[in-house]
Amino acid sequence: LSSAQYSLIIIMKVGECMVRLRVLEILEEKGKSKYWLNKQLQMHYMSFKDMIEGRTVSIHFKTIEQLSKILEVPIGELFEIVSDEEKA
Protein backbone atom coordinates (compact mmCIF):
# COMPACT_ATOMS: atom_id res chain seq x y z
CA LEU A 1 0.00 0.00 0.00
CA SER A 2 1.17 3.51 -0.69
CA SER A 3 1.41 6.01 2.14
CA ALA A 4 -1.67 7.76 0.72
CA GLN A 5 -3.70 4.58 1.33
CA TYR A 6 -2.88 4.41 5.04
CA SER A 7 -5.46 5.85 7.40
CA LEU A 8 -5.34 6.62 11.08
CA ILE A 9 -6.56 4.34 13.81
CA ILE A 10 -8.15 6.33 16.58
CA ILE A 11 -7.55 5.10 20.10
CA MET A 12 -10.63 6.27 21.92
CA LYS A 13 -12.47 5.70 25.10
CA VAL A 14 -15.62 3.63 24.69
CA GLY A 15 -17.76 3.43 27.79
CA GLU A 16 -15.50 2.51 30.69
CA CYS A 17 -12.76 0.92 28.55
CA MET A 18 -9.98 2.06 26.27
CA VAL A 19 -7.33 0.47 24.06
CA ARG A 20 -3.73 0.60 25.26
CA LEU A 21 -0.56 -0.01 23.26
CA ARG A 22 1.64 -2.71 24.91
CA VAL A 23 4.96 -1.74 23.31
CA LEU A 24 6.87 -1.24 26.58
CA GLU A 25 5.91 -4.70 27.85
CA ILE A 26 6.82 -6.32 24.53
CA LEU A 27 10.20 -4.56 24.48
CA GLU A 28 10.91 -5.85 27.99
CA GLU A 29 9.89 -9.40 27.02
CA LYS A 30 12.22 -9.27 24.01
CA GLY A 31 15.11 -7.65 25.87
CA LYS A 32 15.08 -4.61 23.59
CA SER A 33 15.25 -0.92 24.46
CA LYS A 34 13.05 2.04 23.55
CA TYR A 35 16.12 3.52 21.84
CA TRP A 36 16.48 0.41 19.66
CA LEU A 37 12.81 0.51 18.62
CA ASN A 38 12.88 4.23 17.91
CA LYS A 39 15.89 3.74 15.61
CA GLN A 40 14.08 0.89 13.82
CA LEU A 41 10.94 3.00 13.31
CA GLN A 42 12.87 6.15 12.37
CA MET A 43 10.29 8.32 14.11
CA HIS A 44 10.78 11.73 15.68
CA TYR A 45 11.64 10.89 19.30
CA MET A 46 8.91 12.99 20.95
CA SER A 47 6.21 11.42 18.74
CA PHE A 48 7.63 7.99 19.53
CA LYS A 49 7.74 8.70 23.27
CA ASP A 50 4.16 10.01 23.30
CA MET A 51 3.00 6.91 21.41
CA ILE A 52 4.63 4.33 23.68
CA GLU A 53 3.67 6.18 26.86
CA GLY A 54 0.00 6.40 25.85
CA ARG A 55 -0.16 10.14 25.29
CA THR A 56 -1.34 9.97 21.69
CA VAL A 57 -4.88 9.64 20.38
CA SER A 58 -4.10 8.15 16.98
CA ILE A 59 -1.60 5.84 15.31
CA HIS A 60 -1.14 5.37 11.58
CA PHE A 61 -1.86 1.87 10.29
CA LYS A 62 1.60 1.99 8.72
CA THR A 63 3.14 2.46 12.18
CA ILE A 64 1.11 -0.44 13.58
CA GLU A 65 2.30 -2.64 10.73
CA GLN A 66 5.92 -1.56 11.32
CA LEU A 67 5.64 -2.26 15.06
CA SER A 68 4.26 -5.72 14.36
CA LYS A 69 7.07 -6.57 11.95
CA ILE A 70 9.91 -5.08 13.99
CA LEU A 71 8.75 -6.64 17.27
CA GLU A 72 7.79 -9.89 15.51
CA VAL A 73 4.35 -10.09 17.12
CA PRO A 74 0.86 -10.29 15.62
CA ILE A 75 -0.88 -6.92 15.46
CA GLY A 76 -3.44 -8.06 18.05
CA GLU A 77 -0.68 -8.52 20.64
CA LEU A 78 0.28 -4.86 20.37
CA PHE A 79 -2.95 -3.79 22.08
CA GLU A 80 -5.01 -4.54 25.14
CA ILE A 81 -8.34 -3.26 26.39
CA VAL A 82 -8.18 -1.70 29.84
CA SER A 83 -10.89 -0.36 32.11
CA ASP A 84 -10.72 2.95 33.96
CA GLU A 85 -10.01 1.04 37.19
CA GLU A 86 -6.94 -0.64 35.64
CA LYS A 87 -5.55 2.72 34.47
CA ALA A 88 -5.57 4.16 37.97
Side-chain angles (χ1 to χ4, degrees):
L1 295 174
S2 72
S3 59
Q5 292 173 304
Y6 283 103
S7 299
L8 291 176
I9 182 169
I10 305 298
I11 309 291
M12 56 186 181
K13 188 173 178 177
V14 180
E16 297 301 315
C17 296
M18 67 178 282
V19 176
R20 187 177 73 80
L21 193 60
R22 296 186 54 248
V23 170
L24 294 175
E25 292 92 329
I26 295 168
L27 285 172
E28 186 175 328
E29 291 166 10
K30 298 206 173 265
K32 301 289 186 180
S33 68
K34 292 185 283 189
Y35 176 81
W36 172 84
L37 181 59
N38 187 46
K39 289 297 180 189
Q40 301 298 311
L41 288 170
Q42 300 178 349
M43 286 179 75
H44 182 271
Y45 182 72
M46 290 308 294
S47 298
F48 171 78
K49 187 174 184 211
D50 286 347
M51 177 184 71
I52 64 170
E53 292 179 357
R55 292 191 301 258
T56 189
V57 295
S58 65
I59 303 171
H60 286 272
F61 284 133
K62 179 179 179 181
T63 303
I64 294 169
E65 181 181 17
Q66 289 175 318
L67 285 168
S68 175
K69 286 180 181 179
I70 293 167
L71 295 172
E72 299 176 331
V73 297
I75 289 173
E77 288 187 26
L78 293 173
F79 301 97
E80 73 176 341
I81 297 174
V82 294
S83 67
D84 281 344
E85 295 85 41
E86 290 176 287
K87 291 186 331 185

